[in-house]
Every structure is written in C-alpha cells, then in structure tokens.
Amino acid sequence: MKIGVIGTGNMGRILIEALLDGKAISPSSMNVTNRTLSKAMKIKQVYKDINVLSNIGSVAKASDLLFVCVKPKDVYQVLMEMKPWMTNEKCVVSITSPISVDQIESAVICSAVRAIPSITNRALAGVSLLTFGKNCSEEWKEILLKLFDTISTPVFIEEDITRVGSDIVSCGPAFFSYLTQRFIVAAVAETKIDEETATTLASEMLIGLGELLRKGFYTLPTLQQKVCVKGGITGEGIKVLESELGDVFEHLFRATHLKFEEDVYEVKKQFPINNSLKK
C-alpha cells in the first residue's frame, strides 16, 4: 500500500513522523508534497527513502490512501486537484474538523474518512478521532483502524461531538501546557525556585501523572482523593482552584465552538453537497 500526504505543516509532519517511527509504513511507501516543497524536503533529510513529489496530482496518482493535511479553506481545492486520479478503490482522509465526511464524500468517488490526530501521536500515544463516511468500505475501515492503532488509541466519534472531541484530544495538550506554564511562572514569582528547576519538576510530574492513569492505578477523581488529605496542604490549594477557576472551561468550550461554527460556515460555501461533483 502506498500512502500519500498532502501538506507537511505542523500536523502533516507529525502524522508522517508518527507513522514512520511507529513502523506503520516504510518510508519508501510514502509519497508527500507541499505547496512549499522545501518543507517536504526537510522531512526527506530525516527519512531519506520517502518520495517527495512535485504536485498534488502526482501524489494522488501514485497513492492508495491519501491524507489531506491542509487548512480547511484549502481542502476543497485539493480534492478537486486530486479528482482525476481518484478511483473507487482508493481512500481519502481529511484531518480538519470543520470538514464533515459527508462533504468529503460529495467531492470524491472513493472511500472517505475524517481523522483528527493529536500532537501526542508523535510519541505514539494519545487518541486519534475517526469518523467514517457512509460509503467507506469495510476494508478501508479495518486498514485505518490498524494504521492509527500503531500511533494512538483510535476512537470512533459521531459528527455531533466532533468539536468537543477535538478540543479534548487535539487542542487539550496546548490548553494544559498553557496552564502548566502559568503554574511554573507563579511558582517562580511566589517562591525562591528558579524557572529551570520548576519546569523540570512540573514536566516530570505530568509524565508521572500520565503513567499512573495509563497503568490504571487511579482514575482522575481517585487520584485527587489520594493526594488531597483532609485538612492538608493540597486541600487548601484545591479550595483556591475551586474558587478562582469559576466557569473558565465552560467559556473555553463556548469560544472554540463559536470559532468552529464560523469555520464550518465558510467551508459550506465551497462544498455544495450534490451528485454533480462526482461526475
């Protein structure tokens, strides 16, 4: 099987590196391209056997499974450039949340999938969110499940939880990195600890927390109960969090959903869902 990746920006590159480092596919079986080819060539400097092709059509022609890793506003144009080389036997995967699988299916005759990866997949960890098109073949479903299982825990989701699922899985690392950084800055400001030491301690704490959850020693609520001894110091800190956080996460989800709705509205202008696109 030949895999094509169109777009080698942040998420495109992370997906390429994860698939190769996870041994899901050999470098010689991967075809990539990017609007700025020099970006794709930088990946080839690391994985010398990958095939950097000059344009979208070349990748579409040479690949069985195609990942479209471009901005939402550019997806439709990319699909149109791929169209002459797409057959029923191929599969197209978009990694952008505002693009629904129905919209992808309206533009291609092959199997269609939306897969939302996470930066955590670069460590062959975390979750990837999969939504299959109505006409996606069982064979491609099985292939995609095995492929993403090598780099993540694949989870199937319906369209109606796309945004919140992406907020937790894909945006979550950035949100909690920001909170951790604020945690570090406050520690430096309020105590004698230096930033380097605080960063090391906080980073290792997060790694340890992840291991506790991964190995199933605790759930999030039971872990908090174990650390938060009645009348102890941790409890005083929890009181501050309860008082100060307020509805911050509710506001966060409202903001991301509002931006998502704006993106979906813009995408709809490009994706008229009708059969004429398949002719």
Side-chain angles (χ1 to χ4, degrees), residues 59-213:
V59 173
K61 183 179 180 180
S63 307
D64 306 297
L65 173 62
L66 291 126
F67 287 92
V68 178
C69 307
V70 299
K71 294 178 180 178
K73 66 180 181 64
D74 298 323
V75 170
Y76 182 75
Q77 182 58 42
V78 168
L79 293 176
M80 291 301 98
E81 291 185 43
M82 293 165 52
K83 187 177 177 181
W85 292 275
M86 302 311 293
T87 63
N88 288 317
E89 293 74 26
K90 297 190 178 189
C91 180
V92 171
V93 181
S94 169
I95 69 165
T96 55
S97 62
I99 310 293
S100 70
V101 284
D102 286 344
Q103 288 170 321
I104 304 168
E105 283 193 325
S106 75
V108 297
I109 63 171
C110 62
S111 293
V113 179
R114 186 186 56 218
I116 301 173
S118 167
I119 194 171
T120 55
N121 300 163
R122 183 63 186 87
L124 310 183
V127 171
S128 53
L129 305 174
L130 301 178
T131 305
F132 295 118
K134 297 181 181 69
N135 300 317
C136 184
S137 72
E138 291 302 317
E139 181 181 6
W140 276 118
K141 289 179 182 179
E142 184 177 348
I143 289 171
L144 265 297
L145 178 60
K146 288 181 178 177
L147 199 67
F148 277 97
D149 192 52
T150 64
I151 67 171
S152 65
T153 298
V155 174
F156 304 103
I157 62 167
E158 299 294 337
E159 289 285 351
D160 58 354
I161 64 165
T162 296
R163 185 60 257 156
V164 65
S166 186
D167 284 341
I168 295 171
V169 166
S170 192
C171 302
F175 296 151
F176 285 91
S177 291
Y178 176 81
L179 291 175
T180 304
Q181 192 59 39
R182 288 290 302 269
F183 188 45
I184 292 167
V185 169
V188 173
E190 295 294 326
T191 74
K192 294 182 179 180
I193 198 169
D194 62 88
E195 184 175 356
E196 182 179 356
T197 302
T199 299
T200 298
L201 297 182
S203 298
E204 291 299 323
M205 176 273 295
L206 288 175
I207 293 169
L209 172 61
E211 284 297 298
L212 286 173
L213 296 173

Side-chain angles (χ1 to χ4, degrees), residues 192-255:
K192 294 182 179 180
I193 198 169
D194 62 88
E195 184 175 356
E196 182 179 356
T197 302
T199 299
T200 298
L201 297 182
S203 298
E204 291 299 323
M205 176 273 295
L206 288 175
I207 293 169
L209 172 61
E211 284 297 298
L212 286 173
L213 296 173
R214 185 180 67 82
K215 293 178 179 178
F217 290 121
Y218 304 104
T219 63
L220 288 173
T222 58
L223 189 148
Q224 182 179 321
Q225 291 169 8
K226 286 288 183 181
V227 178
C228 189
V229 179
K230 186 176 181 179
I233 292 174
T234 306
E236 292 303 307
I238 292 292
K239 287 179 183 178
V240 174
L241 292 176
E242 289 175 340
S243 173
E244 299 290 338
L245 275 176
D247 296 332
V248 64
F249 287 112
E250 286 81 357
H251 295 163
L252 180 150
F253 286 119
R254 289 170 195 163

